[in-house]
Amino acid sequence: MSAPVAAENTFNAWAAAGPHQPLEAFAFDAGPIGDEEIEVAIDYCGVCHSDLSMLNNDWGITQYPFVPGHEVVGKIVKMGNHAQNKGLKVGQIVGVGWNRGSCMHCHPCMSGDQHLCHDVEATIIGHHGGFADRIRSHWAWAIPLPEGVDITSAGPLFCGGITVFNPLLQFGVLPTHRVGVIGIGGLGHMALRFLNAWGCEVTAFTSSLAKRDEAISLGAHRVIATRDSDELKKIAGQLDFIMVTANATLDWDAIIGALAPKGRLHFVGVVPEAVPLHVMALISKQAEVSGSPTGSPSRLADMLAFCARHDITPQVEHFPLSKINDAVEHLHEGKARYRVVLDMNAQATSLSKK
């Protein structure tokens, strides 16, 4: 690890030297800016469960020293030669999420599905992320924040937010639909807010009814305990769309049983075990099962516009940069309600909630 350095292409960051190691000051040479790149001075960066997985090499792909952070919000400070006149400008506030680039010439990219590009560049896989003073991305993946979006809490929208928003457009969820959200956490609480503003009748599924009142305040119209078989039977055949945001093993027969004809069970949370499916249960009601990652730049822009229109923000807890390891531990212990954001320029030691 190295101390902070001041130089044009030297970025100062916070990196882990290995699995389960604390983050320490780390400086690295980012090299000359690419022709298609923009450089962002970071003001806020969310701390996501994917950062924890990468920190500890849970997926077996982490390269150390490792700089986490893929929910970045900050100002453009530099632009490559070919990033000029692309609708961005120096001083503009933008966000960079899970992906920092894609090839821009393959079929998915040309079809508007850049997040499905075979060569998509994840912000923290093979690159240093946003726990730093600056970061670079392809200009198309730097999404401007519209007026009305709070920059202090917007970071989690660029990963968790788009993960639960994209399926609403991808699968044509209608305001008349009855929708279930399994899990009231970092992803689920944003799904509740989106779906309520979307106009849906929203059912929240939770392992603990202690969260009932909070789920209602977040946008749910009713709350059901996932371990209550009698309650699950009462909603059999009622839900047009069920979004699974929890990383948990559930009674999947009962969950599929809750789907209405032509209903869809959709996964955005990484369930730890194989999900047993009885094909006849799907065939009999023409039901579907699917999953999705984050979303394209255009969908990110759509989500931000929707947030601005409906005053939707993630519920976040702020940590100053001086408490970066405390922030990581807070999330690791499951104490976050519901997302954690680093204030990269803050010096205070107190925590705040929004």
Side-chain angles (χ1 to χ4, degrees):
M1 298 298 177
S2 54
V5 176
E8 181 180 2
N9 293 318
T10 299
F11 291 8
N12 294 301
W14 291 264
H20 307 284
Q21 296 298 307
L23 295 161
E24 299 177 350
F26 171 68
F28 65 94
D29 184 357
I33 190 168
D35 285 341
E36 299 281 342
E37 289 185 323
I38 56 94
E39 185 173 303
V40 177
I42 302 171
D43 293 312
Y44 301 94
C45 187
V47 185
C48 176
H49 273 284
S50 296
D51 291 314
L52 300 187
S53 296
M54 287 293 292
L55 268 171
N56 296 326
N57 200 24
D58 292 341
W59 301 337
I61 57 175
T62 307
Q63 300 174 26
Y64 297 96
F66 171 67
V67 179
H70 59 276
E71 296 179 343
V72 168
V73 174
K75 297 180 182 67
I76 297 176
V77 293
K78 189 185 296 185
M79 305 179 72
N81 291 333
H82 297 167
Q84 310 286 337
N85 303 315
K86 296 294 196 301
L88 301 175
K89 59 185 179 182
V90 171
Q92 191 169 15
I93 298 173
V94 297
V96 178
W98 177 254
N99 295 317
R100 68 182 294 277
S102 53
C103 79
M104 295 298 175
H105 60 77
C106 68
H107 189 271
C109 281
M110 297 301 290
S111 301
D113 290 323
Q114 294 90 346
H115 62 300
L116 301 180
C117 172
H118 179 73
D119 295 318
V120 69
E121 297 180 34
T123 300
I124 59 171
I125 299 177
H127 305 91
H128 292 312
F131 287 10
D133 56 358
R134 288 174 288 165
I135 196 171
R136 289 177 183 161
S137 79
H138 188 283
W139 62 265
W141 286 96
I143 315 301
L145 268 66
E147 185 176 350
V149 173
D150 175 25
I151 67 170
T152 69
S153 59
L157 292 172
F158 287 87
C159 183
I162 188 60
T163 297
V164 297
F165 182 85
N166 186 51
L168 308 189
L169 293 172
Q170 185 73 31
F171 299 107
V173 174
L174 300 175
T176 53
H177 279 164
R178 295 177 175 179
V179 180
V181 176
I182 298 179
I184 306 170
L187 293 174
H189 89 281
M190 285 188 277
L192 295 179
R193 286 183 166 171
F194 283 137
L195 287 162
N196 183 279
W198 206 259
C200 301
E201 180 183 288
V202 187
T203 298
F205 293 82
T206 176
S207 60
S208 172
L209 287 180
K211 289 186 176 180
R212 182 186 182 281
D213 290 344
E214 188 160 17
I216 297 296
S217 71
L218 289 167
H221 297 98
R222 62 179 173 181
V223 181
I224 292 177
T226 54
R227 296 190 178 96
D228 190 329
S229 58
D230 291 335
E231 287 296 306
L232 291 173
K233 289 177 182 177
K234 290 179 183 178
I235 62 165
Q238 294 186 21
L239 301 180
D240 300 291
F241 192 94
I242 299 176
M243 186 183 301
V244 182
T245 72
N247 303 337
T249 300
L250 302 172
D251 182 348
W252 297 112
D253 286 340
I255 298 300
I256 291 173
L259 290 174
K262 295 188 178 181
R264 177 181 294 272
L265 177 64
H266 186 73
F267 291 86
V268 294
V270 182
V271 176
E273 300 173 358
V275 176
L277 296 175
H278 295 286
V279 173
M280 197 61 190
L282 302 178
I283 292 174
S284 63
K285 59 178 66 178
Q286 201 172 314
E288 298 177 273
V289 179
S290 55
S292 64
T294 55
S296 67
S298 64
R299 288 287 167 83
L300 280 158
D302 289 339
M303 175 197 64
L304 293 172
F306 188 78
C307 289
R309 184 179 305 158
H310 295 281
D311 192 26
I312 295 174
T313 59
Q315 183 170 313
V316 306
E317 295 179 283
H318 288 276
F319 281 74
L321 189 56
S322 60
K323 299 293 184 180
I324 191 168
N325 284 300
D326 292 344
V328 170
E329 187 62 21
H330 187 70
L331 180 62
H332 176 72
E333 292 178 352
K335 295 179 179 178
R337 292 292 183 270
Y338 282 100
R339 306 291 291 200
V340 172
V341 172
L342 292 171
D343 294 4
M344 307 305 283
N345 301 310
Q347 299 299 322
T349 57
S350 60
L351 306 184
S352 63
K353 296 182 179 181
K354 191 174 183 66

